[in-house]
Amino acid sequence: MSTTLSLDGRPIPFTPGQTIMDAALAAGIYIPHLCHNPDYAPHGSCRVCMVGVGGRLVSACTTAALDGMTVESNTETIQSTRRSIVQMLFVEGNHVCPACERSGSCQLQAVAYYVGMLSPHFPQFFPQRPVDASHPDFMIDFNRCILCELCVRASRDHDHKRVFAVSGRGLASHLVIDSPSGLLGDSHFAASDRAAQVCPTGAILPKHRGYEQPIGQRLYDQAPISVVGDLRAQPGGE
Amino acid sequence: MGEPVDSKVQAFVARSLGLYGQAPEYLLQHLIAVQQQFGWVPPTAVDALAAALDVAHAQVRGAVAFYAFLHDQPRGDFDILFSDNITDRMLGNQRLVGLLAERLGLGLDAPRADGRVTIGLTSCTGMCDQGPALLVNGQAVTALTAARVDRIADLVEEGVPLERWPGAFFRVEDNIRRRGLLLSNPATDGASLRRLLDGGADAALAELERSGLRGRGGAGFTTALKWRFCREAEGGDRTVPRFVVCNADEGEPGTFKDRVLLTSYTDLVFEGMTLCAGVIGARLGFLYLRGEYRYLVPHLESVLARRRAEGLLGKDILGQQGFDFDIAIHLGAGAYICGEESALIESLEGKRGVTRKRPPFPVISGYQDRPTVVNNVETFLAAARVVQWGGYWLRGEGTDQSAGSKILSVSGDCARPGIYEYPFGTPVHRVLTDCGAEEVQAVQVSGAAGTTLAPAEFDRLLAFEDLPTAGSFMIFDRSRDLLDLVRNFAAFFAHESCGFCTPCRVGTALLRNLVEKVAAGQASAHDLQELRDIGAVMRQTSYCGLGHTAPNHVLNTLDKFPAIYRRRLRSADYSPSFDLDAALASARALTGRDGVADHVEEEA
Amino acid sequence: MLSREVSDVSAKPRVATASLCGCFGCHTSLLDIDERILQLVDLVDFDRSPLTDIKTVGDCDLGLIEGGVANTENLEVLRAFRRHCRTLVAVGACAVNGGVPAMRNALALRECLEESYVRGVGVYHPGIPRDPEIPLLLDRVHPIHEVVKVDYVLPGCPPSADTLWTFLTAWLSGQPIAFPYTQIHYD
């Protein structure tokens, strides 16, 4: 039995058990995503990877590929829906790209470029979130956290430390750190942790390094994420 | 209540650990106990529980911050939460909140300086047929009047412990107005269990299949199929533990029928759970009871104890060797999302109630990743009767796709709010006539997440194929401003979104803000289009049913009652997203300036 | 050569620009179109703009707004632009989402002002200024689309000269406005 799905009209082979996202990535076709990272179990929370299947939208990262499935991804309607979701992420936090060291090599920004976002569109929430600079090697700027839980998963499943968790609910959901003081510096977090490397935005950043590569010459300054892929796929990435 | 001494907290946690054990699944139950005892969850308790249960501090704090009834700051000795469903509002709860706050001299959500009392609002407490209602230290008080609130203020000021408050305050009536197949007779002697033991699981499943019974929680999945999937999960390996969970997290605003079933049809509910256990091979079941109904716990525990004594629960049920099953009651703590079955399972495991990825469905991988049946209270009751009296008994009523009857919780503008049981396929207008509703402007079927009906639709049928419903039926007469409904529901969903996925987490907040903008007379036609667009994105892309249905009330009323929005529009085109003049208030205060130039005029 | 249909065929389109709560970096970027500015002045007339020093905005075809909305003067200018400009463009990060000035939103206005005028290093006569000529501050800095309807958006801090040129030439010729990948960036 051949196992093939059709993605925007292109036949894509897959192995049973793979998700639509797995199949697309293996075939070198980009479906935008933020909470997904092939090194960790699918999460399905950011909703950026929505694709059309049978007249409905489903998240490519959590939906099993089925033989003969017809999947729509790169249509104007779907891009527009994804754009709204990315805009929601932008207004929910404080994403000041000109003041962020990750700018140009930030997946949130790159995905926003990919879906054609020119402005955040919605009213900004302007939440007030203090920065945690208590750790000697890393800082956390919660203003840039999009709750993808990649650091939570990496710390739990790879580093076996459980340094991060999500607390609260609704719009008050927020990343917390497992230490008596709640500060990163008092936790078991180390610069060598996988959790230090997986953040798709500038929320978890190394200290003592700044703008080694000038703005304008960075990964996504040159080419879209649909061509160059995620940060993890880059030389020097995790 | 102020800071309790650490040793007291530690001693209490130790007692709680002795009672519930050290399984991490019991974290939430420990936290609820601590909250009840101290009026908050002090850091000492967080430390003690994290250590004893071997869970991360962050997980404990995360749970405290997730559940609305848990607090990391002290509440008052009397923690009073007014139910704030739209039906409570229609019965004048806001005036009563104001009255009590004025009498006690405090605002909302901050304890009074002496630590005596806190007043706050909470989502629907399931007393819509006898509201306005409140919870005081978790206990339900119904039928509030100005006089009752006045008396409560006295009791609080005098520091009278709850046990000595007038019993009438805590009386909860069943208000059963119309009995059908299920409500006609609460009595049972274990007949369905005998049928199971006589005929075997396959025969019982065959009766359930014949009956066409579908889940009564709203989604309508075929019960026989769910039980069969669970029974056959893991290749039918009988050594794999299975679980039965009764979803009594009746959180949909306007629903209260499970409250009545758990009060007066308790044996049938437990019998249905036991039956399910017998069919799927479970030895342990949970009744997940919403925190608002904690007043039912002593009653439920006494029925469980009696059933154990009668051989209907526990070891060797009805003398059948190896038919072992028992039921534990787990409390929720103020989280609507936990009515969703996978979030409920997370909560049962002591975690934040965040929806799980599906598939796998709970029948394959539920509680502790084991095969688990989760059914609504009413479904278990119906299942017990189906196996007792046969599938055709249920088929005798209802429609082809919706066999049997549905129990409705009727509230709002009508002469006789309460519980009504109808055959599926009953038109909406029949219910309105029976409950004495007049001059009806709108009916909200199936709760805040359901459908808003205009009079032209009152001949629609209550059935899975037309108007599926979990039972909530709220009525609004012509004197009501339906934007109040929209505001109430929009605030409800923003409060209850679990926050896991982007469109629901952010979308519910955006909708709430836009609806408030409309209410303030500040919105434009652009904002109405925004409401539609955001609603469409939430419907299409949210992770679970909460987000899919959260915009329903906005989208329904925009279509069916456009005037409630249009008559408040400030501009046909565009208007600012915030109040410009109010945004200058802090600068005016800081500079002492208050001239004409220090204010902003609205533009037409 | 570029052309544009306007109601009065003899008149060139009028363009106004203003910087609200910004750094004039976007205006500087406009000047970075270098010699193309000679083409531009052939094609359009500038109305109110730091480039002309005209202080009030008249009826215009295009208004370019740099900067977010931080005080009463910003509000007044922005509303005047919206009234007078047929097409209004948010130019640059601050106009688009508040940008760097909006980082003050992390603090209450009192904290901001006290840090600057009371506790700050080198403050000689501490006290929050209350001169009525100073525009009153909003409690938060807002992007301009939160106050008025915006027709086009050019992100960037600043948008590059090429981005601005792409926009202007497309707009002047009535072509759909589209940018190559490298011309859209938020930083």
Side-chain angles (χ1 to χ4, degrees), chain B residues 427-586:
Chain B
V428 169
H429 62 71
R430 170 72 202 271
V431 182
L432 293 173
T433 307
D434 289 355
C435 71
E438 287 171 359
E439 296 284 308
V440 179
Q441 178 183 194
V443 177
Q444 183 73 20
V445 173
S446 207
T451 311
T452 315
L453 297 180
E457 303 170 280
F458 290 170
D459 55 354
R460 289 182 63 182
L461 308 180
L462 298 163
F464 290 109
E465 59 270 33
D466 187 2
L467 282 173
T469 175
S472 172
F473 193 99
M474 294 183 274
I475 303 164
F476 302 83
D477 71 20
R478 297 198 187 283
S479 72
R480 304 294 176 183
D481 183 343
L482 289 180
L483 196 71
D484 290 340
L485 166 156
V486 178
R487 292 174 72 185
N488 185 259
F489 291 173
F492 169 78
F493 285 115
H495 183 250
E496 297 294 348
S497 168
C498 83
F500 177 77
C501 78
T502 313
C504 179
R505 181 177 69 240
V506 186
T508 52
L510 288 171
L511 286 187
R512 178 203 52 205
N513 293 352
L514 280 169
V515 164
E516 286 305 311
K517 187 178 175 186
V518 172
Q522 296 291 333
S524 65
H526 170 82
D527 295 312
L528 302 191
Q529 190 57 46
E530 285 291 290
L531 283 169
R532 284 186 189 278
D533 292 348
I534 296 164
V537 169
M538 291 168 67
R539 244 184 202 181
Q540 290 169 24
T541 67
S542 291
Y543 184 78
C544 81
L546 194 159
H548 294 149
T549 55
N552 283 354
H553 64 102
V554 170
L555 298 171
N556 282 177
T557 50
L558 277 168
D559 285 338
K560 299 176 188 178
F561 302 93
I564 64 170
Y565 296 90
R566 291 214 187 110
R567 68 164 177 262
R568 291 179 162 88
L569 290 193
R570 169 175 149 191
S571 137
D573 182 26
Y574 200 88
S575 58
S577 68
F578 62 101
D579 183 334
L580 302 180
D581 191 60
L584 292 167
S586 38

Side-chain angles (χ1 to χ4, degrees), chain B residues 15-27:
Chain B
R15 258 205 312 284
S16 187
L17 289 165
L19 196 62
Y20 296 116
Q22 305 208 339
E25 286 82 355
Y26 277 79
L27 171 62

Side-chain angles (χ1 to χ4, degrees), chain A residues 7-9 29-32 49-52 57 71-80 82-83 114-116 226:
Chain A
L7 179 55
D8 287 333
I29 298 180
Y30 181 73
I31 297 174
C49 72
M50 302 308 285
V51 292
L57 293 181
V71 181
E72 285 190 316
S73 174
N74 200 5
T75 71
E76 180 41 42
T77 317
I78 291 173
Q79 284 291 61
S80 152
R82 291 170 178 162
R83 196 181 308 134
Y114 175 78
V115 298
S226 54

Side-chain angles (χ1 to χ4, degrees), chain B residues 65 73 104 365 369 424:
Chain B
Q73 298 290 323
L104 294 172
S365 178
D369 299 329
F424 271 117

Side-chain angles (χ1 to χ4, degrees), chain B residues 145-176:
Chain B
T145 57
R148 196 164 269 199
V149 165
D150 224 33
R151 183 77 190 104
I152 289 173
D154 292 340
L155 293 163
V156 167
E157 291 294 13
E158 291 158 21
V160 178
L162 281 194
E163 311 81 76
R164 297 200 347 246
W165 286 27
F169 285 17
F170 302 102
R171 190 171 301 140
V172 179
E173 304 290 345
D174 274 357
N175 289 332
I176 299 174

Side-chain angles (χ1 to χ4, degrees), chain A residues 90 94-99 103-104 108-110 112-114 116-129 143-144 215-216 219-225, chain C residues 90 93-94 96-109 111 139-143 145-146 152-157 177 179 181-187:
Chain A
F90 268 82
N94 294 306
H95 297 280
V96 191
C97 299
S103 190
L108 173 65
Q109 195 184 54
Y113 293 159
Y114 175 78
M117 182 185 112
L118 293 179
S119 86
H121 180 84
F122 303 115
Q124 296 278 350
F125 285 90
F126 290 128
Q128 300 194 335
R129 302 177 184 166
N143 292 289
R144 303 166 184 164
I215 296 285
L219 181 64
Y220 302 123
D221 292 335
Q222 312 298 324
I225 191 168
Chain C
C94 304
V96 171
N97 70 1
V100 170
M103 291 174 82
R104 83 147 151 97
N105 297 351
L107 304 171
L109 188 59
E111 292 174 86
D139 56 358
R140 288 167 155 188
V141 179
H142 291 267
H145 77 267
E146 295 188 12
Y152 288 107
V153 173
L154 301 176
C157 184
I177 292 159
F179 302 92
Y181 178 78
T182 51
Q183 285 188 11
I184 294 296
H185 55 84
Y186 305 153
D187 53 16

Side-chain angles (χ1 to χ4, degrees), chain B residues 526 570 573-578 580 582-584 586-593 597-603, chain C residues 72 75 79 83 109-110 113 128-140 142 145-150:
Chain B
H526 170 82
R570 169 175 149 191
D573 182 26
Y574 200 88
S575 58
S577 68
F578 62 101
L580 302 180
L584 292 167
S586 38
R588 282 193 294 262
L590 286 166
T591 59
R593 289 164 52 182
D598 305 317
H599 285 271
V600 188
E601 296 273 318
E602 277 187 16
E603 286 196 319
Chain C
T72 45
L75 266 178
R79 286 168 143 194
R83 279 196 302 274
L109 188 59
R110 173 185 290 277
L113 290 174
I128 294 171
R130 42 186 71 205
D131 188 320
E133 285 187 9
I134 301 173
L136 216 50
L137 290 174
L138 297 173
D139 56 358
R140 288 167 155 188
H142 291 267
H145 77 267
E146 295 188 12
V147 177
V148 297
K149 183 169 183 285
V150 172

Side-chain angles (χ1 to χ4, degrees), chain A residues 39-74:
Chain A
D39 296 341
Y40 302 96
H43 201 238
S45 69
C46 75
R47 315 310 281 168
V48 168
C49 72
M50 302 308 285
V51 292
V53 174
R56 291 175 52 223
L57 293 181
V58 298
S59 50
C61 71
T62 61
T63 305
L66 296 176
D67 193 35
M69 185 183 244
T70 301
V71 181
E72 285 190 316
S73 174
N74 200 5

